[in-house]
Amino acid sequence: MMRRSAPSSADKLPEFSGTGIRPARAAIAVTLALVAAILYGVPARSSGHPITIEDVLDLTSIDQVTLSPSGGSVAIVLQRPARPGEVFGRTAYEVDPSRADVWLVSLATLERRNLTQGAESAAGYWCATWSPDGTKIAMLSTQPEGAEPRGGDNVRLYLWNRSTSAVVRLSERPVMTQTRYGSPLHRLDLRGGPAGDAVHRCSNEENAPFMWLDNHRLLVVMLPEGEVSGLIDEASRPFRHAERTARALAEGREPTVTAVASGAARMPEAERTSQAELWVVDSRTNGGERLATLPIYPFRGELTVDVAPDRRRAAILATLGTIPPEPGARPMMRYESWMAEKRLGFVTLAPGEGVQWITMPADAPYPLELFGWSPDSRRVALRARASYGTGITPLYVASDLDRSIQRIGPEGLWVDDASAGSVDLREFPTFWADEGRLLARLGDGDRADWWLLSLEGKYEKITSQWVEPLPALRRSGTGGFFALSNGRLVTLDLTRRTFVASSDPLPEGAALAWPRHPQSASPVILLKGNESEEGRVHSLVMLDRAAPSERRFMLPPSAEPVAIGPKRDLVLWTRASRRGLHLGATVLDDGRHRDLLCANHHLASVRWGETRLVEYEGSGGQLRKAGIILPPGYLPDRRYPVITWIYPGFEVRNLDTYFLHPHLPGIYNLQLYAAQGYVVLIPSIPRTSTAPDGLPDYTGDVLPAVDRLVDMGIADERRIGVMGQSFGGFGVYALVTQTNRFRAAAAIAGITDFTTHYNEFDRAARDYPGIEHEKSINWEITEQVAPGFGISSFEDPDLYARASPLRYVTQVQTPMLLIHGEHDKRGPMTQAESFFYSLYRQGKTARLLRYWGESHALAQSPANIRNIYEEILAWFATYLGPDGDMPIEP
């Protein structure tokens, strides 16, 4: 039950010496470098080496940084490199927390300790959360104990105690965990407690399944015995079901059928939902008490548990399933939770009563989200809607005392979203101003304003004087509210019921940098200005003064602030650069920067490709920017082959752009291709929607960028390739039907036929009784987001066909490499298979790679990542090398 961590300051962070290339692959790396030197004129140099796929897989990353309440220590969740001996396949490798450890760094002595030592058993530790008194850290772990397999078989709750330096399993029960990476399953939304109203989070990828109620007790969402946590269950469930199916077929005694149904045949709720359990766990005794059993649904909506300020009660908003479609009604989806059918209830944080479920009004049967408790812990605010197809969401208040619900606000107005996205990332449109009043952003579909609403029915609009209403408000942590508008800080004076703009302008380009999460309240905020070579100007603004006061300072270039010391004397930041990964602190009194933790030292020996910005004229004569990466040792008197990386909807604005980042994972680190002698081109393609008459034409934004490189003497116009992933994969499929300019193409995880894409099941949707058809959200994305047809495929199949590359496959002349994963949630492998088979029947040049068990990111296994990279290089070497024989046509 107990693991003791070594309290020695000699604990070492993952260090990387030399090139980071393992001996087994050193010869391959040298050979590829020699090939690049011979084919593309990349000179050999003795200092450093071009980046390799092994360098990329050797990267470690910081998953979470948490200051202790006193500010004396920092808990850091540090992900280990993707090396042999680890367990893979649970999620995309770069975000997998089951390969992480919790480190502790003293700000006074800089002593650092690995508290968990997970590599010994291939275990992960993450979601490090301090107790309010700073004496303990609760965390999640896959640590195996007893006869459990290496790497663990579930996720459980663990505790580190400062007094003993021991890490202890608090419960044998599995913990409900939210999965990571794109449309997560089992979403969680735990709020309240000592940390305030913000959603409790493990990282930017995952919300926490627990919170501290006080210095000793934790509120935890557990699973019944025998269930498997989402982190491990999501990827393994299809394989477990396949094994059971194979056994059933061999034995011949049990049918292997699964059933889904709709309309009047829809299955009862009990057959469609699973259960979770709400527990209070005492860290002093490792004992716990079950408070209630809650229905859970793995897709779309979240399980909300909102603890009241007095910590005696919690409001529950549990997802039961997807709202059934209504005949003739068009669904309204602003984010995935809009499709969720939910139930509102209250629970006492003591065993015995269970959940007291609330009956919603007949005109608003579908609650959507909670907006927190009143300060006196008597009521919660929420919004709800009447039907599947409406975006009108009036504001309501539910009483915990008499279970009553009343509508609040003027007739004809409803809650208006300040921003889109999941519940933990959106700006809240409603707050409690005090025990009897709400501050809400209400609109009628044309304009939205902030209103002050009393429970007695008195309503006052307080932004009438604003030509452009404030889009979002944040809590100040002092009972007040603030916003940024037109380069100034705006605060709300509740006494005068008006907003007041600061007299002094904020730094140029000022944007909120901390708190990072919209619902977090703090009396101190951090604003960031424009970046310069010396760094970025930041402003620390104190909101708990008679008038807000400001303190300006510099952080290092590309530094991202992650925490402010409780004494407001230092700022913690992370920085991922070509020299490595750094967690640092800036002391505000003297502006000194000091490193607390450094990793990825092997990057310092990498010879990087130079990045540049290129301006060109795109579609409609619009001035665009493209990013380029030159091969290491680039010679201006040579012309180079070009790999064009495309992603429709992505615009390059500066060199800090996403696709130029040196720490990108796996095959998406574009420096890898520059290291092999290619110039990498990333054009801006601002349009994402389809053309009115069919397939979007991306040639107007891509080909002029290629021409610009040719005109600059950089590109060899005979050796131009194109590649992209996801929507970029779709873009590649589209481009090769519209132009023969590219000598070779690689389409990764792209869509080729929107008609079938709309209706297809998620191929990983196995063993979800009665709801397997509800796992995919691709119909919603296709209909309402991108391309955004606004109509279903069965209503206008020809529209979908006209916008699909498959319809124009006879026009393809470019040799194509098609890559797709078996469990791609954004589109089944049939998308690539259909396109390939059409090329095959025409006798055209194509190669299809199907990666079994792989996801949309194609990053579950390091072996697959290496293989995909090698396949891409081999494909482009064949057709972009000097001996390639593909004819170039205009």
Side-chain angles (χ1 to χ4, degrees):
M1 290 290 293
M2 181 177 294
R3 300 183 65 253
R4 197 169 290 276
S5 60
S8 169
S9 60
D11 282 342
K12 292 186 177 180
L13 290 163
E15 300 261 349
F16 312 105
S17 58
T19 65
I21 304 174
R22 288 189 244 293
R25 296 190 171 263
I28 295 176
V30 171
T31 300
L32 290 173
L34 289 174
V35 170
I38 293 169
L39 293 182
Y40 310 130
V42 179
R45 291 186 180 179
S46 58
S47 59
H49 66 280
I51 194 168
T52 70
I53 192 66
E54 299 305 318
D55 290 323
V56 175
L57 292 173
D58 254 352
L59 291 174
T60 189
S61 62
I62 295 174
D63 194 58
Q64 179 189 19
V65 176
T66 310
L67 262 174
S68 64
S70 68
S73 301
V74 187
I76 306 154
V77 175
L78 192 67
Q79 188 189 57
R80 301 188 297 271
R83 290 178 172 171
E86 300 284 2
V87 174
F88 299 99
R90 290 167 172 167
T91 186
Y93 88 98
E94 75 274 13
V95 297
D96 188 351
S98 68
R99 216 177 63 251
D101 281 301
V102 178
W103 288 71
L104 191 67
V105 177
S106 167
L107 292 181
T109 66
L110 298 188
E111 176 191 31
R112 61 194 186 193
R113 288 185 286 164
N114 184 343
L115 301 181
T116 53
Q117 305 286 348
E120 299 172 5
S121 51
Y125 291 85
W126 73 100
C127 206
T129 308
W130 290 96
S131 60
D133 61 3
T135 63
K136 295 176 282 291
I137 300 175
M139 63 189 77
L140 301 177
S141 179
T142 57
Q143 176 65 43
E145 296 188 6
E148 296 163 2
R150 179 175 175 80
D153 60 2
N154 228 321
V155 179
R156 297 177 177 88
L157 186 65
Y158 278 72
L159 184 84
W160 172 81
N161 195 310
R162 188 186 292 273
S163 65
T164 63
S165 293
V167 179
V168 178
R169 182 182 286 187
L170 285 183
S171 174
E172 296 298 325
R173 284 182 175 270
V175 176
M176 181 176 171
T177 54
Q178 175 177 310
T179 63
R180 298 190 175 198
Y181 190 82
S183 298
L185 306 185
H186 302 290
R187 285 183 176 164
L188 289 154
D189 174 22
L190 273 65
R191 314 179 201 167
D197 293 333
V199 177
H200 293 258
R201 310 196 76 189
C202 298
S203 71
N204 290 332
E205 290 277 347
E206 180 183 357
N207 294 341
F210 65 87
M211 70 170 77
W212 288 96
L213 293 175
D214 51 39
N215 292 332
H216 307 292
R217 296 182 306 143
L218 293 130
L219 185 67
V220 190
V221 181
M222 302 278 201
L223 295 176
E225 293 181 3
E227 296 294 318
V228 181
S229 295
L231 171 69
I232 295 175
D233 177 68
E234 180 184 24
S236 64
R237 180 179 287 240
F239 300 113
R240 299 198 311 270
H241 183 260
E243 290 172 1
R244 293 198 304 273
T245 300
R247 288 196 300 270
L249 286 171
E251 294 168 357
R253 292 192 295 267
E254 296 290 336
T256 59
V257 65
T258 60
V260 296
S262 68
R266 191 185 190 208
M267 296 179 179
E269 177 189 318
E271 297 181 26
R272 293 182 283 108
T273 58
S274 302
Q275 291 185 334
E277 298 173 350
L278 194 62
W279 284 69
V280 171
V281 176
D282 194 316
S283 64
R284 294 167 295 188
T285 64
N286 292 7
E289 295 177 316
R290 183 172 60 188
L291 306 180
T293 298
L294 307 174
I296 56 173
Y297 175 77
F299 317 138
R300 293 175 176 78
E302 50 283 315
L303 171 63
T304 297
V305 181
D306 193 345
V307 175
D310 64 8
R311 302 178 213 170
R312 295 179 179 178
R313 302 279 290 170
I316 305 292
L317 195 58
T319 300
L320 307 177
T322 298
I323 299 175
E326 299 171 1
R330 187 158 306 285
M332 173 61 65
M333 190 200 80
R334 292 179 180 167
Y335 40 89
E336 289 184 47
S337 191
W338 276 72
M339 299 304 300
E341 182 180 2
K342 301 181 179 181
R343 179 179 295 167
L344 174 66
F346 294 98
V347 63
T348 301
L349 298 185
E353 293 186 16
V355 181
Q356 305 299 308
W357 298 108
I358 305 300
T359 301
M360 293 296 296
D363 60 351
Y366 297 119
L368 181 62
E369 66 181 318
L370 299 181
F371 295 128
W373 286 85
S374 58
D376 59 3
S377 301
R378 299 176 64 182
R379 304 174 180 88
V380 292
L382 69 151
R383 61 169 164 168
R385 56 184 177 145
S387 67
Y388 171 79
T390 182
I392 296 174
T393 57
L395 183 62
Y396 291 85
V397 169
S399 170
D400 178 34
L401 299 180
D402 58 12
R403 309 293 189 266
S404 64
I405 295 184
Q406 67 176 113
R407 181 170 174 174
I408 302 294
E411 290 294 328
L413 297 180
W414 56 88
V415 178
D416 185 275
D417 285 305
S419 63
S422 60
V423 68
D424 54 321
L425 298 177
R426 286 184 298 105
E427 305 283 354
F428 263 22
T430 299
F431 305 89
W432 285 95
D434 51 39
E435 294 180 355
R437 295 183 299 174
L438 287 156
L439 185 64
R441 177 184 161 93
L442 304 179
D444 58 6
D446 294 322
R447 177 185 167 99
D449 279 287
W450 287 94
W451 290 70
L452 199 58
L453 313 171
S454 76
L455 300 184
E456 288 75 29
K458 297 179 180 179
Y459 311 137
E460 181 179 1
K461 181 164 58 176
I462 57 176
T463 51
S464 301
Q465 76 276 21
W466 292 77
V467 176
E468 294 292 333
L470 296 171
L473 290 180
R474 298 261 185 123
R475 287 189 182 275
S476 66
T478 60
F481 301 88
F482 72 94
L484 303 182
S485 179
N486 297 321
R488 296 183 185 272
L489 177 69
V490 178
T491 55
L492 172 61
D493 185 335
L494 273 173
T495 303
R496 296 165 53 196
R497 299 184 296 284
T498 186
F499 289 94
V500 180
S502 62
S503 56
D504 297 325
L506 298 171
E508 186 177 355
L512 192 64
W514 191 90
R516 298 179 68 178
H517 304 303
Q519 296 92 26
S520 296
S522 172
V524 181
I525 61 172
L526 188 63
L527 306 177
K528 62 181 179 181
N530 292 328
E531 183 90 33
S532 68
E533 292 184 2
E534 293 78 25
R536 189 190 295 268
V537 175
H538 285 72
S539 297
L540 191 69
V541 181
M542 276 69 76
L543 300 173
D544 53 355
R545 309 288 172 86
S549 62
E550 180 187 2
R551 186 175 186 178
R552 297 190 181 184
F553 58 94
M554 296 282 287
L555 289 185
S558 303
E560 293 292 334
V562 292
I564 296 174
K567 298 179 183 178
R568 309 177 188 181
D569 55 347
L570 60 84
V571 174
L572 298 184
W573 44 264
T574 59
R575 185 186 184 204
S577 71
R578 294 183 174 193
R579 304 293 297 177
L581 176 66
H582 299 265
L583 171 66
T586 295
V587 181
L588 300 189
D589 286 340
D590 56 17
R592 286 186 301 115
H593 309 309
R594 60 176 180 173
D595 283 333
L596 305 179
L597 177 152
C598 303
N600 297 338
H601 305 291
H602 64 300
L603 295 184
S605 66
V606 167
R607 194 150 47 90
W608 296 92
E610 178 189 349
T611 57
R612 295 181 184 176
L613 285 180
V614 173
E615 290 190 339
Y616 67 100
E617 190 175 284
S619 59
Q622 295 295 311
L623 190 64
R624 306 269 191 247
K625 291 181 180 178
I628 63 171
I629 308 174
L630 301 175
Y634 167 78
L635 298 175
D637 59 345
R638 294 181 181 268
R639 288 183 179 268
Y640 290 80
V642 174
I643 294 177
T644 310
W645 174 268
I646 67 167
Y647 197 95
F650 181 81
E651 293 190 60
V652 177
R653 303 187 186 279
N654 50 52
L655 289 179
D656 199 29
T657 196
Y658 174 77
F659 286 121
L660 293 177
H661 199 286
H663 289 236
L664 284 184
I667 63 171
Y668 309 106
N669 193 314
L670 300 184
Q671 283 279 347
L672 287 168
Y673 308 98
Q676 298 304 318
Y678 298 96
V679 171
V680 179
L681 168 67
I682 309 164
S684 291
I685 313 176
R687 296 171 300 155
T688 59
S689 60
T690 58
D693 58 349
L695 192 66
D697 185 356
Y698 299 130
T699 59
D701 286 313
V702 176
L703 297 187
V706 173
D707 293 336
R708 179 71 177 126
L709 291 195
V710 173
D711 294 342
M712 294 173 67
I714 294 174
D716 182 344
E717 64 178 340
R718 302 166 302 166
R719 296 186 287 167
I720 308 294
V722 63
M723 66 183 292
Q725 186 265 349
S726 189
F727 207 56
F730 163 76
V732 171
Y733 285 123
L735 274 173
V736 296
T737 70
Q738 297 165 337
T739 178
N740 296 327
R741 181 70 179 275
F742 299 103
R743 197 162 187 170
I748 307 167
I751 302 304
T752 65
D753 181 13
F754 284 118
T755 306
T756 56
H757 177 250
Y758 184 93
N759 299 304
E760 286 182 295
F761 282 28
D762 186 324
R763 287 300 178 261
R766 297 183 64 165
D767 200 25
Y768 294 100
I771 59 172
E772 291 170 347
H773 61 301
E774 295 176 350
K775 186 173 188 291
S776 174
I777 65 163
N778 293 330
W779 69 270
E780 301 167 22
I781 294 174
T782 304
E783 184 175 324
Q784 301 195 26
V785 183
F789 295 118
I791 195 171
S792 66
S793 68
F794 52 83
E795 292 173 292
D796 193 345
D798 192 54
L799 169 65
Y800 276 65
R802 291 197 310 271
S804 300
L806 186 63
R807 180 159 180 160
Y808 313 97
V809 69
T810 57
Q811 301 173 25
V812 177
Q813 302 298 325
T814 306
M816 289 207 65
L817 179 65
L818 298 78
I819 301 172
H820 221 99
E822 178 190 14
H823 292 157
D824 188 331
K825 68 175 64 174
R826 288 291 172 260
M829 278 201 306
T830 51
Q831 293 291 316
E833 290 167 346
S834 297
F835 205 86
F836 169 81
Y837 204 85
S838 297
L839 296 174
Y840 161 72
R841 285 287 288 112
Q842 299 176 71
K844 294 180 177 178
T845 302
R847 178 173 170 82
L848 170 62
L849 303 175
R850 297 181 296 170
Y851 286 88
W852 303 103
E854 269 294 354
S855 64
H856 184 61
L858 293 143
Q860 301 285 102
S861 162
N864 287 338
I865 293 166
R866 292 186 184 99
N867 183 258
I868 294 169
Y869 175 58
E870 291 166 1
E871 288 275 0
I872 291 172
L873 289 184
W875 191 256
F876 283 124
T878 299
Y879 295 101
L880 303 190
D883 297 327
D885 58 2
M886 178 66 188
I888 304 299
E889 300 179 17

